[in-house]
Amino acid sequence: MLIEKGYAVICCALILLLLFGFTRENELENDKQTTELLLHAEQEQHRLNRETIDIINIKCHDLKHQISVLREMDKKPERDEAIAEIEQAVQFYDSNIHTGNGTLDLVLTQKSFFCYHKGIALECLADGACIDFMKPADLLSLFGNILDNAIEAVQAFPQEKRVISLRIGERGGTVFVYAENPCGELSFTDGLPQTTKEDKAYHGFGVRSIRYIVKKYGGDVRMYAEDGKFHADILFYASARRAAQQKN
């Protein structure tokens, strides 16, 4: 009798463990599907942004010719001053970022345009060639999310404190990505900063996407707040990069 009861208890425990395992597996699968859908939406947005940048570049080319004509028509000081202002704007929009990775150039160019208009200093030192092991779609989402989160955070500060730093490079076969920006009070759960917005159900996916992509390439990511600044440290190791390159 006791043996039968003991056997029944063990069976119940095993069933509960199996149910828990299935439930956890379903949760992880749903989380993965949600992340993939969000990444797809971000990629579509980046495609539209690229078209916008192409239009801006064409317009800049046209404006250069218009400026040349204006200089020949009139030499008044007022006209020269106006032309100088136009040239300054054109110079910014016509300046292309060259990191050695075309996809990264696209992200940085787009975000630098936005930062320029919001009075945000985007300080970037990037060796784009060292991250060519990543698929363009993943690269767009990773750095798009990193910069979007930083841009949103610094807009709460006065202009003199609106500074975003981004470093991308390689040391000893390990690729590092480091981002830093001013931030307010942050709380962390499971190593990720929690959104300060009231509608928490529809926010906070950006940092989850960052971790998802980093883990996809066998890397490590650490996010933390210190001395009023938010820091994101990402490492991609040589072995994982080689595996990604072979897979791609």
Side-chain angles (χ1 to χ4, degrees):
M1 190 69 176
L2 290 174
I3 294 176
E4 291 177 357
K5 288 183 178 179
Y7 180 78
V9 170
I10 293 172
C11 288
C12 289
L14 288 173
I15 291 171
L16 288 173
L17 286 173
L18 287 171
L19 289 173
F20 177 81
F22 288 140
T23 301
R24 179 58 178 164
E25 184 176 351
N26 288 335
E27 289 177 352
L28 293 174
E29 182 62 25
N30 290 336
D31 186 67
K32 180 180 179 181
Q33 291 176 358
T34 300
T35 304
E36 291 284 5
L37 287 171
L38 287 167
L39 291 177
H40 177 75
E42 291 169 0
Q43 291 155 17
E44 180 64 14
Q45 182 62 45
H46 285 302
R47 183 187 67 80
L48 296 174
N49 289 335
R50 182 164 199 160
E51 294 175 358
T52 301
I53 290 173
D54 289 340
I55 293 171
I56 291 173
N57 288 335
I58 293 171
K59 185 63 176 176
C60 288
H61 182 75
D62 293 339
L63 282 172
K64 284 182 177 179
H65 289 288
Q66 294 173 15
I67 290 170
S68 297
V69 173
L70 286 172
R71 283 199 183 279
E72 294 296 325
M73 290 175 60
D74 199 334
K75 293 294 184 180
K76 292 181 179 180
E78 296 83 2
R79 179 61 58 85
D80 287 340
E81 183 179 351
I83 290 174
E85 292 178 359
I86 295 173
E87 282 184 324
Q88 184 179 5
V90 171
Q91 185 177 4
F92 173 79
Y93 280 104
D94 198 34
S95 61
N96 293 317
I97 295 174
H98 300 285
T99 66
N101 185 298
T103 304
L104 181 61
D105 294 347
L106 169 64
V107 180
L108 294 178
T109 300
Q110 175 206 344
K111 301 306 178 185
S112 66
F113 286 168
F114 186 84
C115 288
Y116 176 78
H117 285 288
K118 294 294 183 179
I120 300 171
L122 176 56
E123 300 175 347
C124 181
L125 183 60
D127 175 11
C130 69
I131 54 171
D132 59 4
F133 62 91
M134 295 183 65
K135 291 182 178 180
D138 292 331
L139 199 153
L140 284 169
S141 295
L142 175 63
F143 288 98
N145 275 309
I146 289 173
L147 292 173
D148 283 344
N149 289 341
I151 289 169
E152 182 176 350
V154 301
Q155 288 187 79
F157 292 85
Q159 185 169 344
E160 63 270 16
K161 292 187 177 181
R162 294 182 180 181
V163 181
I164 299 171
S165 296
L166 179 65
R167 302 288 183 269
I168 305 168
E170 183 177 4
R171 291 198 199 97
T174 299
V175 172
F176 66 87
V177 176
Y178 174 75
E180 176 188 293
N181 59 266
C183 69
E185 289 292 328
L186 288 176
S187 61
F188 289 77
T189 301
D190 191 26
L192 297 179
Q194 300 303 293
T195 180
T196 56
K197 297 179 180 178
E198 294 183 3
D199 191 1
K200 299 183 184 299
Y202 294 97
H203 295 96
F205 286 105
V207 290
R208 292 171 61 188
S209 295
I210 292 170
R211 184 165 68 178
Y212 174 81
I213 294 171
V214 173
K215 295 297 182 183
K216 180 178 178 179
Y217 288 89
D220 288 325
V221 56
R222 180 182 174 226
M223 302 181 194
Y224 61 99
E226 188 176 83
D227 298 328
K229 291 186 177 181
F230 173 78
H231 306 264
D233 285 318
I234 299 172
L235 295 176
F236 294 105
Y237 307 104
S239 57
R241 289 164 52 201
R242 285 194 295 268
Q245 288 171 332
Q246 293 173 357
K247 187 175 181 180
N248 293 341

